[in-house]
């Protein structure tokens, strides 16, 4: 399906005990929901859409295009420290129909830069105003671009410590990327953090189709329809818009559109693009952050024994938090974005140890 990039490096094993120790340290900062946001839907909507200020916007960004396939380029906004070669680097990957300007991306980038990291706010293929840079669509299991971007950062930019933080769809892509690398993970790839990742796409597709989740599914479908119509303007005739007539659920969308990505239908796509089967092959320190009350990404797949069996992968589960939001009670030493804080702490602690 995709051409993977093989790195000519080996990743020295970091002690599973060290990863467990770091995860336990993160657990000490338990998530406490903000007052009146115990409801998972309120948490998800208010927690991700609330007004915020982002210090990262005060730092100039280099707009960087990466050539990943013959007709495909992706864009990242790079915020480099003054002594960039001596600083660790974080690549942030957004969720479905998101962009490098999503609140959670800007919030995480602000924390990462303040903590001394170089930061790349990455636009998944076609997102963030880049529809014209590829005739192809993106999908939740798309990793070929991440392979190329990571390779270029390591081989061209001489990045010595690279971390990925992925949100929702971006989390699934980041986990699958690490699993595909397996034993060939480069020594420079130091850690992966996935927040609210849909590791089992079939389960998620069935869940979001439930009546109580109509607001999320409707929002995604409307955005996807707009995106495809805009895409067709750049590449006339590349897509049959008549396929959209019978689309009522995300499952229908995947049945209609994933054949353009080389999958037979929705079920074939879910089987090949879900990151859960790739998690056993992950050989770099990995943190999963997920709320048990996520409205449309069920918790059950996170109890899969394949996750627990991999000592390089640890789950930080909370009772509350909604989807991506994790809008917490105010703390004296950090802001309310609890999951963003834990992700940066995870990378910071690993950076000091490796």
């Amino acid at each position: 399906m995709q051409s993977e990039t093989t790195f000519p490096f080996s990743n020295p094993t970091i002690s599973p005990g060290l990863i467990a120790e770091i995860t336990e340290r993160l657990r000490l900062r338990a998530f406490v929901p903000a007052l009146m946001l115990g409801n998972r839907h309120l948490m998800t909507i208010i927690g991700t859409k609330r007004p915020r200020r982002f210090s990262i916007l005060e730092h100039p960004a280099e707009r960087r295009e990466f050539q990943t396939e013959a007709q495909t380029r992706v864009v990242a906004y790079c915020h480099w420290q003054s002594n960039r070669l001596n600083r660790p680097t974080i690549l942030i990957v957004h969720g479905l129909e998101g962009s490098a300007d999503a609140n959670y991306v800007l919030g995480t980038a602000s924390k990462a830069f303040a903590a001394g990291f170089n930061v790349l706010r990455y636009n998944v293929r076609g997102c963030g105003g880049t529809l014209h840079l590829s005739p192809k669509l993106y999908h939740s299991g798309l990793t070929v671009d991440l392979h190329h971007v990571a390779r270029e950062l390591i081989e061209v930019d001489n990045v010595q410590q690279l971390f990925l933080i992925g949100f929702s769809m971006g989390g699934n892509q980041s986990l699958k990327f690490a699993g595909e690398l397996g034993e060939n993970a480069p020594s420079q790839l130091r850690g992966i953090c996935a927040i609210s990742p849909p590791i089992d796409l079939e389960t998620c597709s069935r869940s979001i189709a439930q009546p109580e989740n109509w607001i999320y599914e409707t929002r995604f479908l409307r955005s996807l329809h707009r995106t495809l119509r805009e895409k067709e303007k750049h590449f006339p005739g590349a897509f049959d818009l008549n396929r959209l007539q019978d689309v009522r659920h995300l499952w229908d969308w995947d049945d209609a559109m994933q054949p353009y990505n080389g999958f037979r239908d929705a079920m074939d796509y879910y089987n090949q693009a879900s990151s859960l089967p790739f998690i056993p092959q992950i050989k770099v320190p990995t943190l999963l952050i997920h709320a048990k009350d996520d409205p449309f990404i069920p918790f059950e797949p996170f109890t899969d024994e394949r996750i627990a069996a991999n000592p390089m992968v640890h789950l930080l589960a909370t009772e509350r938090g909604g989807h991506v939001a994790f809008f917490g009670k105010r703390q004296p030493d950090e802001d309310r974005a609890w999951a963003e804080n834990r992700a940066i702490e995870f990378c910071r602690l690993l950076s000091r140890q490796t």
Side-chain angles (χ1 to χ4, degrees):
M1 184 68 61
Q2 298 181 40
S3 57
E4 299 173 16
T5 302
T6 301
F7 290 86
F9 309 103
S10 61
N11 194 356
T13 301
I14 299 170
S15 164
L18 173 61
I19 305 170
E21 181 181 327
I22 289 174
T23 305
E24 288 306 310
R25 180 168 173 176
L26 299 181
R27 293 187 204 282
L28 295 177
R29 299 297 295 262
F31 175 65
V32 180
L35 188 65
M36 306 297 290
L37 288 185
N39 179 278
R40 60 184 181 172
H41 299 295
L42 286 177
M43 172 64 74
T44 298
I45 296 170
I46 295 176
T48 55
K49 298 300 181 183
R50 61 191 173 91
R52 301 174 64 182
R53 297 182 64 181
F54 305 108
S55 61
I56 193 66
L57 297 178
E58 301 170 7
H59 303 282
E62 172 198 354
R63 183 186 183 277
R64 174 88 164 266
E65 291 190 4
F66 296 83
Q67 188 83 41
T68 62
E69 292 186 308
Q71 294 180 291
T72 296
R73 287 168 287 158
V74 295
V75 170
Y77 294 93
C78 311
H79 302 267
W80 302 109
Q81 301 284 345
S82 57
N83 54 343
R84 57 192 278 183
L85 293 178
N86 296 320
R87 297 301 185 101
T89 299
I90 290 179
L91 176 67
I92 306 173
V93 190
H94 63 78
L96 184 68
E97 287 299 278
S99 75
D101 292 326
N103 277 5
Y104 53 83
V105 173
L106 292 171
T108 306
S110 297
K111 296 177 177 67
F113 196 83
F117 290 85
N118 300 314
V119 180
L120 278 76
R121 297 186 290 118
Y122 172 77
N123 275 311
V124 172
R125 177 185 299 191
C127 295
T130 65
L131 287 171
H132 61 293
L133 296 181
S134 176
K136 299 179 181 180
L137 302 172
Y138 74 88
H139 61 83
S140 293
L142 182 68
T143 55
V144 63
D145 295 343
L146 286 178
H147 282 284
H148 284 275
V149 170
R151 184 183 184 96
E152 184 169 329
L153 289 173
I154 290 170
E155 296 187 346
V156 177
D157 294 88
N158 200 29
V159 165
Q160 294 301 304
Q161 294 189 39
L162 178 63
F163 298 86
L164 269 65
I165 299 178
F167 290 85
S168 195
M169 177 194 75
N172 186 70
Q173 291 181 344
S174 298
L175 294 169
K176 184 169 174 280
F177 161 74
E180 288 169 348
L181 286 172
E183 297 284 356
N184 292 319
S187 60
Q188 292 88 343
L189 182 61
R190 299 299 174 87
I192 305 288
C193 181
I195 299 171
S196 302
I199 60 175
D200 184 333
L201 293 170
E202 178 189 355
T203 301
C204 296
S205 186
R206 294 187 187 280
S207 177
I208 203 169
Q210 297 302 307
E212 67 172 17
N213 289 323
W214 68 268
I215 188 171
Y216 311 112
E217 185 172 50
T218 299
R219 176 179 172 273
F220 282 133
L221 284 174
R222 286 176 177 172
S223 183
L224 286 165
H225 281 220
R226 287 194 301 269
T227 296
L228 185 65
R229 291 190 177 97
E230 287 299 314
K231 185 84 168 179
E232 208 274 338
K233 292 178 182 178
H234 292 288
F235 302 97
F239 308 99
D240 180 6
L241 298 185
N242 291 325
R243 287 172 175 257
L244 302 180
Q245 293 179 356
D246 297 324
V247 170
R248 299 292 181 270
H249 296 283
L250 283 174
W251 191 297
D252 302 330
W253 171 273
D254 290 329
D255 255 341
M257 303 312 300
Q258 292 307 337
Y260 286 112
N261 288 322
F263 301 101
R264 184 175 61 253
D265 52 22
M267 199 66 220
D268 183 46
Y269 163 58
Y270 300 150
N271 287 336
Q272 293 195 53
S274 296
S275 61
L276 181 57
F278 293 87
I279 289 178
Q281 283 76 53
I282 293 178
K283 302 300 181 185
V284 297
T286 298
L287 178 69
L288 308 177
I289 298 178
H290 194 69
K292 295 180 181 179
D293 73 341
D294 189 305
F296 53 87
I297 298 185
F299 185 69
E300 183 179 2
F302 292 87
T303 66
D304 191 293
E305 61 182 11
R306 288 173 290 183
I307 295 177
N310 188 338
M312 304 302 286
V313 179
H314 286 263
L315 172 65
L316 188 59
T318 63
E319 295 297 324
R320 307 294 182 193
H323 182 68
V324 172
F326 297 95
F327 183 37
K329 183 179 179 181
R330 191 180 301 278
Q331 302 294 329
D333 60 339
E334 62 183 33
D335 68 7
R336 293 173 178 265
W338 180 85
E340 295 174 13
N341 287 310
R342 300 290 74 76
I344 297 304
E345 186 178 6
F346 177 70
C347 296
R348 180 174 55 80
L349 292 172
L350 280 173
S351 180
R352 291 179 177 179
Q353 296 290 335
T354 58

